[in-house]
Amino acid sequence: MFRYLAVCGVLLLVTQLSLCHPTEEMKKLFDTCQAESNVKIDTLKAFLKGGMKTEEATSEIKCFTKCLMEKQGQFKNGVLNEEATRKALLEHPELKNKEAEVNKFMSECKGLKGSNECDTAFQIGQCMFKKGMDL
């Protein structure tokens, strides 16, 4: 069961705060991205339990994040899909009436660039997670 709860922490990275009650579709997405990125569940657990520190993210965790974002339409060709991400964020009850704040932190995070697409997706996700948690 922790395996599917762990996805909630990772999904926070990719701004899907409202999906922490995993549906069957979410479980399939998790399994697909876990396989595609070759990330081990123990690696994800350690990362989440360790406070999701950027410096502790492996390339597999970064690619897992990219996969989740891509499959949800939030990241494509190395760029954040602002419309899809904004929609997902504003569907979350705690962010529903905070469009100005969401737009502000998305604007601050969307231009981050990493060493590759996995790193870029991860950096954007981490930035939005940290700024979103401050609201």
Side-chain angles (χ1 to χ4, degrees):
M1 184 65 175
F2 183 81
R3 175 183 158 147
Y4 294 109
L5 294 177
V7 77
C8 295
V10 175
L11 288 175
L12 290 173
L13 290 174
V14 293
T15 71
Q16 288 297 310
L17 300 172
S18 62
L19 294 175
C20 283
H21 300 289
T23 62
E24 194 59 39
E25 180 180 336
M26 206 54 232
K27 290 174 188 176
K28 287 179 186 175
L29 176 63
F30 177 87
D31 290 342
T32 298
C33 289
Q34 185 182 8
E36 285 183 17
S37 65
N38 294 315
V39 69
K40 301 206 179 333
I41 191 65
D42 291 339
T43 303
L44 280 173
K45 284 181 187 179
F47 179 67
L48 294 170
K49 286 183 180 181
M52 298 189 311
K53 296 176 186 150
T54 300
E55 64 274 8
E56 294 178 5
T58 64
S59 60
E60 292 84 5
I61 287 173
K62 292 176 181 184
C63 289
F64 178 76
T65 302
K66 176 184 173 249
C67 178
L68 289 174
M69 291 176 76
E70 284 180 331
K71 296 211 181 297
Q72 294 176 87
Q74 297 175 351
F75 191 80
K76 185 176 182 182
N77 299 322
V79 178
L80 181 72
N81 179 335
E82 293 179 62
E83 185 178 324
T85 303
R86 181 179 297 104
K87 182 178 183 240
L89 285 167
L90 293 174
E91 287 175 358
H92 187 273
E94 292 182 31
L95 299 176
K96 197 169 197 120
N97 297 315
K98 297 186 178 184
E99 187 168 357
E101 293 92 334
V102 167
N103 288 336
K104 182 177 187 284
F105 74 70
M106 279 184 52
S107 177
E108 293 171 4
C109 299
K110 70 180 180 182
L112 293 174
K113 295 287 182 205
S115 58
N116 56 45
E117 285 191 7
C118 292
D119 190 37
T120 297
F122 181 79
Q123 285 187 34
I124 292 170
Q126 278 285 80
C127 178
M128 290 193 299
F129 170 68
K130 288 176 182 176
K131 292 185 181 293
M133 293 303 290
D134 290 339
L135 295 181

